[in-house]
Amino acid sequence: MKLQEITDYLEDNFPLSLQESYDNSGLLVGNKSMELKSALICLDSTEEVVDEAIRKGANLIISHHPIIFSGIKSLTGETYIERIVIRCIQNNIALYAIHTNLDNHKQGVNAEIAKRIGLTQCRILRPKKGVLCKLVVYLPKEALEPLDKALFEKGAGRIGNYSECHFRTEGIGTFMPNEMAKPLIGKADKRSAISEYRVEYLVSYSKLQAVLAALETSHPYEEIPYEILPIDNENQDEGAGMIGELDNAMSEKDFLQELKTIFNCGIIRHTQLLNKSVKRIALCGGSGSFLLKDALNAKVDVFITGDFKYHEFFDAENKLLIVDIGHFESEQFTTNLLAEKLKEKFTNFAIHLTEINTNPINYF
Ligand SMILES: [Zn+2]
């Protein structure tokens, strides 16, 4: 199997356009045409992980955190980052990172955490704005069914748990082909007026390219009349953090104990207990303190994440319980999520999970 098959599949599911502007997800080392033996999945592609890949005969490392993040100006082997890149190139190992595009996806890092805790009724905590547009297409009525099918297949017309949504109105379209045109209907230099539909679809920008390609092949006109209109709605399927509920409320202490067990935490840092039961939970894998305001606005009982700083703990204002379970701990099951996703599609391809604990933080 070629590397491209894996990168295409991952990017169809978790488009690179979902990543944050500061991120560097995607193929970092390697050529998409290279033939794959097996893959090794990890959170951090450390030197030990590269050694493990060599030992296991894996020539693709898929990591959550991109090892090349803010650019490399030389490859001398002076830093661990340079050594990892050099070692991968020397051993013909490809490096692929799937970072904030997995964080910002409804079925990504946070969905996996929510699943492990047993949350239901999950939704994105801070849905993204500016990521949706409306596609308006004009077409003859009989072309509607095949066009609908083609566009829906590529992800147009999805809103939350609903798919195949469009809105259409009937009207009259007029046109006059010149002598060079090859019109489906009408004659050169003669103005026609025909009954048409105006059909509107909601499309995420991450799917727009595929949807437009489908429009191109399924619309019957020589010149396709369509409009792309940016809209300001939030996209409930893309964004940061997640919010959900426990089926049964628990005491704060029982909940903390359970988190400690599930995530195998050496330590949990938290704000003062509020002596109330816990049911509504907000969470964000990795460094999620930037979402505290969203968690407060959502009136959750607990906000779980990693990397909270001293002063930020004060901002809870006794309105919720901040629970810092650790960056690595919160994201550790991301490797399982990726392995399961890949196994759904590539049933005969060997996928290893790293056996190395790459958490750089130790607890004494
Ligand atoms: Zn992280």
Side-chain angles (χ1 to χ4, degrees):
M1 184 170 66
K2 297 250 186 290
L3 174 56
Q4 172 136 27
E5 289 179 55
I6 289 224
T7 58
D8 281 355
Y9 174 69
L10 287 173
E11 288 162 24
D12 276 349
N13 282 280
F14 307 105
L16 289 175
S17 59
L18 293 189
Q19 71 178 312
E20 298 295 332
S21 54
Y22 58 79
D23 198 10
N24 193 32
S25 290
L27 186 61
L28 304 179
V29 174
N31 187 308
K32 285 193 176 177
S33 63
M34 71 187 265
E35 202 63 44
L36 291 182
K37 290 184 250 172
S38 65
L40 177 64
I41 305 179
C42 59
L43 274 190
D44 308 282
S45 44
T46 62
E47 290 175 87
E48 292 80 5
V49 169
V50 179
D51 287 341
E52 185 186 18
I54 295 168
R55 261 196 328 274
K56 291 183 168 159
N59 58 349
L60 167 64
I61 297 175
I62 302 174
S63 69
H64 180 47
H65 299 127
I67 186 73
I68 303 172
F69 201 65
S70 42
I72 291 183
K73 289 203 168 178
S74 58
L75 276 175
T76 61
E78 194 147 317
T79 67
Y80 76 95
I81 295 172
E82 294 172 21
R83 285 193 296 278
I84 288 162
V85 173
I86 291 170
R87 211 155 156 64
C88 284
I89 294 170
Q90 284 172 339
N91 289 279
N92 227 354
I93 293 174
L95 273 177
Y96 186 86
I98 181 160
H99 189 212
T100 51
N101 48 329
L102 195 57
D103 289 329
N104 285 331
H105 194 280
K106 206 181 175 185
Q107 265 95 46
V109 175
N110 297 316
E112 184 66 27
I113 299 171
K115 186 179 99 183
R116 301 276 168 166
I117 301 173
L119 301 185
T120 55
Q121 296 164 61
C122 294
R123 58 185 172 83
I124 301 258
L125 178 59
R126 186 194 281 179
K128 276 205 176 193
K129 273 191 159 197
V131 292
L132 288 173
C133 65
K134 194 195 267 187
L135 175 66
V136 182
V137 184
Y138 302 84
L139 76 170
K141 288 180 179 176
E142 57 279 9
L144 180 63
E145 219 182 287
L147 184 91
D148 255 358
K149 190 170 176 289
L151 301 198
F152 290 152
E153 229 164 60
K154 297 296 173 191
R158 279 190 205 151
I159 307 170
N161 291 326
Y162 296 81
S163 59
E164 306 201 1
C165 311
H166 83 211
F167 183 83
R168 66 173 186 261
T169 40
E170 230 179 300
I172 304 290
T174 80
F175 54 92
M176 184 162 71
N178 66 20
E179 62 282 356
M180 263 124 57
K182 296 182 188 66
L184 179 76
I185 307 159
K187 285 199 173 76
D189 298 325
K190 196 169 178 296
R191 190 172 183 213
S192 294
I194 62 160
S195 181
E196 285 184 327
Y197 279 140
R198 175 189 203 271
V199 198
E200 303 171 29
Y201 305 87
L202 194 65
V203 183
S204 158
Y205 279 116
S206 64
K207 307 253 161 85
L208 186 59
Q209 219 184 337
V211 169
L212 289 180
L215 172 65
E216 183 86 29
T217 53
S218 57
H219 195 292
Y221 287 175
E222 188 179 21
E223 294 292 343
I224 302 173
Y226 72 98
E227 295 146 11
I228 300 163
L229 311 172
I231 55 173
D232 208 31
N233 301 42
E234 289 178 340
N235 185 356
Q236 50 180 307
D237 291 335
E238 291 176 22
M242 192 151 274
I243 182 166
E245 292 196 9
L246 294 169
D247 284 337
N248 300 304
M250 295 172 81
S251 77
E252 289 165 314
K253 277 191 180 157
D254 287 349
F255 185 63
L256 289 177
Q257 188 54 57
E258 189 154 310
L259 286 181
K260 201 165 177 171
T261 309
I262 297 170
F263 293 92
N264 195 21
C265 303
I267 198 167
I268 286 183
R269 303 188 308 147
H270 62 89
T271 50
Q272 187 184 315
L273 297 183
L274 304 170
N275 296 316
K276 57 177 208 172
S277 58
V278 168
K279 187 158 169 71
R280 263 168 83 75
I281 315 283
L283 59 89
C284 179
S287 308
S289 62
F290 68 101
L291 290 171
L292 179 61
K293 272 217 170 74
D294 303 79
L296 284 164
N297 288 339
K299 302 216 172 343
V300 296
D301 303 309
V302 177
F303 178 40
I304 305 165
T305 185
D307 285 345
F308 249 95
K309 290 184 185 160
Y310 178 83
H311 289 287
E312 293 168 342
F313 278 90
F314 286 106
D315 298 332
E317 302 246 34
N318 287 332
K319 287 180 182 144
L320 55 69
L321 186 65
I322 292 175
V323 176
D324 184 335
I325 61 172
H327 189 128
F328 176 89
E329 287 80 355
S330 70
E331 293 180 330
Q332 63 189 296
F333 301 117
T334 305
T335 52
N336 302 79
L337 164 81
L338 285 169
E340 275 165 36
K341 193 76 204 168
L342 288 169
K343 280 175 188 164
E344 270 175 29
K345 166 94 176 166
F346 306 105
T347 43
N348 287 322
F349 181 66
I351 293 158
H352 312 279
L353 293 183
T354 182
E355 291 170 60
I356 292 160
N357 181 339
T358 59
N359 191 357
I361 300 172
N362 291 272
Y363 306 102
F364 183 70

